[in-house]
Amino acid sequence: APNLLNRIGKLQLLFSKFDESIQSFRRVLKIDVKNQDAREGLKQVHQKFLMQLDNAVKKHDYEDAAKAFEKAFSIVKNPKLPQRGIDLNRMLKNETRVNQLEKIYKQMSEKESIQKVQEKISLAEEAEKKGNFKAAVGYYEQAIRIRPKHEIMVKMSDFCQRINRPELAEKVSKWFNQYLENEKRKASLE
């Protein structure tokens, strides 16, 4: 059944029956979550909607652009895409959708920053295991810059204690507090 549905989806895509092709490819993915043909088909439909969005914007047809955005966004929740929807809906004076998309964008950005921080902390821990303490400090600093949270600073401070460098822990704490102060100052100027 998945092969047949994929072929149907491809034909629907070929004949610009995008909504139908989405349904066909999604049916395949319900059967086989990892099916590459269905994933590729959805990616192609997504690209078609993005092209429609761009073409509608060039023609100043913001209503059609917003429709194409919604369809593209329903396929792939790309973290960069909500900003386009926010801009379009602002032009259309659709504040309800603007607020929804801003909330989605904030959630997606938050999730992305958490993932990046986890990557940096993992790299720091790996560097520590290898005895590369300078690199570990650098990764912790990068994590803090991405997401200046107390718990990350505590991890870095604990690391400094583990490597028997309490003076570095104190220096890190001062740096962290100064960093937060500078960020607050920047935010108040904006």
Side-chain angles (χ1 to χ4, degrees), residues 12-13 15-23 45 48-49 52:
Q12 291 165 326
L13 180 60
F15 290 103
S16 299
K17 302 284 187 188
F18 302 132
D19 293 331
E20 292 87 347
S21 67
I22 291 170
Q23 290 174 347
V45 176
K48 295 285 186 184
F49 284 131
Q52 283 181 354

Side-chain angles (χ1 to χ4, degrees), residues 55-90:
N55 290 335
V57 167
K58 286 177 188 169
K59 295 175 186 174
H60 303 286
D61 185 350
Y62 301 118
E63 294 218 4
D64 275 355
K67 288 175 188 171
F69 161 79
E70 293 297 340
K71 290 185 179 204
F73 194 59
S74 74
I75 298 171
V76 177
K77 299 285 192 251
N78 178 328
K80 295 177 178 106
L81 203 50
Q83 191 57 54
R84 292 181 79 181
I86 291 167
D87 294 342
L88 281 169
N89 282 285
R90 275 210 176 102

Side-chain angles (χ1 to χ4, degrees), residues 81-137:
L81 203 50
Q83 191 57 54
R84 292 181 79 181
I86 291 167
D87 294 342
L88 281 169
N89 282 285
R90 275 210 176 102
M91 285 189 263
L92 295 170
K93 300 192 182 341
N94 184 351
E95 288 306 311
T96 301
R97 189 61 178 143
V98 167
N99 292 335
Q100 291 169 341
L101 289 170
E102 284 175 338
K103 185 176 179 181
I104 291 169
Y105 179 71
K106 184 177 179 183
Q107 290 169 342
M108 291 173 90
S109 297
E110 183 88 3
K111 186 177 177 182
E112 187 178 34
S113 77
I114 289 169
Q115 287 173 332
K116 286 180 181 178
V117 164
Q118 288 303 324
E119 289 171 14
K120 297 298 180 187
I121 289 173
S122 293
L123 289 169
E125 290 168 349
E126 191 64 34
E128 180 183 357
K129 286 177 188 172
K130 292 179 180 177
N132 190 346
F133 301 141
K134 186 175 182 177
V137 168

